[in-house]
Amino acid sequence: MTVAGSSSTATSDHSTLTAVAYALLFSVPIGVGVTVMMTRVAPGNLTDPLIVGPGLVLAVAVFVLVVVAATRGDNAA
């Protein structure tokens, strides 16, 4: 037995999961790359905020940007 509107909820859940998957696909490499670059240009260990901070901030920013664009943009499913 199906509930009316359950297919739109399933489609919405699928598109949200797809948006999160694409966001992770794009944000994780950027965060890792910036963090590795910071270990080369700034003195300190990997646990220092100066090293991890920029990579984390950029990864979160790209993640949010991709999720918002995929769910609310012109090309939203």
Side-chain angles (χ1 to χ4, degrees):
M1 180 194 293
T2 60
V3 177
S6 65
S7 70
S8 67
T9 303
T11 304
S12 175
D13 290 341
H14 185 268
S15 69
T16 302
L17 286 174
T18 303
V20 169
Y22 276 112
L24 286 173
L25 178 71
F26 292 120
S27 67
V28 170
I30 290 173
V32 170
V34 170
T35 301
V36 168
M37 184 265 316
M38 289 301 293
T39 62
R40 303 288 184 215
V41 299
N45 296 330
L46 190 59
T47 57
D48 291 340
L50 179 64
I51 305 296
V52 177
L56 186 63
V57 168
L58 283 173
V60 169
V62 169
F63 181 85
V64 170
L65 180 70
V66 171
V67 167
V68 168
T71 56
R72 303 187 203 290
D74 290 337
N75 296 325

